[in-house]
Amino acid sequence: MAGIEHIQVEPDEAGMRLDRWFKVHFPGLGFGQLQKLLRSGQVRVDGGRVKTDARVQPGQIVRVPPLDVDAKALKSGPIAGNDLKHGGDAELLARMLLHEDDKVYVLNKPAGLAVQGGSGLTRHIDKMLEAWTSKKGEKPRLVHRLDRDTSGVLVVARTRGAAQKLTAAFRERDTKKTYWSLVKGVPRKHEDKISTWLVKEATADGDRMRIAKHGEEGADHAISYYRVLETAAQSLAWLEMEPYTGRTHQLRVHALHMGHPIIGDPKYFDDDPNWDFPGGVQKRLHLHARHIDIPHPSGGRLRVTAPLPPHMVQTWNLLGFDMESAGEPDDE
C-alpha cells in the first residue's frame, strides 16, 4: 500500500469525470471502493469534498489516500508530458506494458512519443528498449510502426526468432489491426472500402503523403476499411478503421480523401473558416491503434486491446460516446 498522494490534473484530463479519472489512473480500484472513499472525505479535490460525477480541471489537486489495490495497477496510469521528459526508460516501458510473455511484449504507446529516432528526437521507443536488454544481451526488436502522434498497440519481439515470425505476419497481412478515430463530418456510407494509390512528397512542413495516379512513379497501392460506430449531431463521427495495407499515414490520408479528415491531425486537417472546431476537444490527433490480432510466434493468436489516451477519453466523455457499445473484440 502506498501513502497519501496528491496528484495534479493534467491538461489532457480537462472535463473528465472524477470516477473516469480514477479508472484511468487506478484501474485496480472498484467503483464501490471509490464511493466509500468519497463519502468519508478521504478523496478530495483542491481540499474539498466531491462526488463521482464531478468534473476535474487542469491544475486541480486530487488527494488520493492509501489504496489497497494491486501495486502494478497503481503505476498503470496515463503517461503525461513530464513523465516522457523525466521518467526512466524501464519505468515508462513498464507503464506502457499491456502483455508480456517469453516471446512478445505489447505496449500501449502514448501519443507524442516516436517509435524510432529522427531529426531532433531525444527519446523514442527503439532507444528505450535498450533498458530491457536480456541477460543474453538481446535487445527487444520493433516489428511494425506507429506515427508519433498516433497512440495505441505496438508489438515488440523479445527474440530474433520471434521478430522474424512477427515481421512475416505483418508482411503477409496475417494480422488484423483496428483503429479508432474521430473525424470531421459524417460519411455518407455507414461502412466502406477505400482503395487508392499513395505517394510521398516533400513539403515545407516535411514529408507528406498524397493520393497518386495508378502507375505514378513511387506510388504504392493502399486499401483501408471503415465503419461508423457513433456520431455527434452531423458534425463528428467515431470511426472504426482497418488498414489492409500498411502505408505511411494511410488512414490519415484516406480519411482526408473521403472528405472527413481526422480531428486534430497536424498534417492533414486544414482549418475551415466555415466549420467551428468543437469546444473542449483538444487539437491533438484523434487516432488510436485500439486492437491487434496477430499469430503468436509460439502458435495460436495473440489479441490485445489498448485503452484510449487521455485526450481521446476526454473527447469521448464530452460527446457522450459509449465505449461499451462498440462491441469490443475478445482479448486473450
Side-chain angles (χ1 to χ4, degrees), residues 118-137:
S119 175
L121 289 177
T122 55
R123 170 163 263 181
H124 53 85
I125 296 280
D126 194 32
K127 175 73 173 169
M128 293 170 71
L129 286 170
E130 291 176 3
W132 277 0
T133 299
S134 71
K135 292 178 181 177
K136 297 178 181 177

Side-chain angles (χ1 to χ4, degrees), residues 20-45:
R20 170 64 67 176
W21 185 91
F22 267 91
K23 189 171 182 180
V24 167
H25 284 266
F26 303 101
L29 184 70
F31 184 73
Q33 291 173 282
L34 174 60
Q35 284 187 310
K36 192 178 292 184
L37 293 170
L38 287 165
R39 280 197 301 269
S40 61
Q42 294 184 69
V43 167
R44 293 175 178 251
V45 176

Side-chain angles (χ1 to χ4, degrees), residues 152-172:
V153 176
L154 185 71
V155 179
V156 177
R158 296 187 66 170
T159 66
R160 182 186 297 275
Q164 289 171 341
K165 290 182 179 180
L166 291 166
T167 301
F170 280 103
R171 186 175 60 246
E172 295 159 13

Side-chain angles (χ1 to χ4, degrees), residues 95-133:
R95 288 174 61 184
M96 295 178 212
L97 193 63
L98 296 171
H99 169 89
E100 174 186 8
D101 59 48
D102 61 348
K103 298 288 173 59
V104 182
Y105 291 124
V106 183
L107 307 177
N108 184 13
K109 186 189 84 66
L113 178 61
V115 171
Q116 286 185 298
S119 175
L121 289 177
T122 55
R123 170 163 263 181
H124 53 85
I125 296 280
D126 194 32
K127 175 73 173 169
M128 293 170 71
L129 286 170
E130 291 176 3
W132 277 0
T133 299

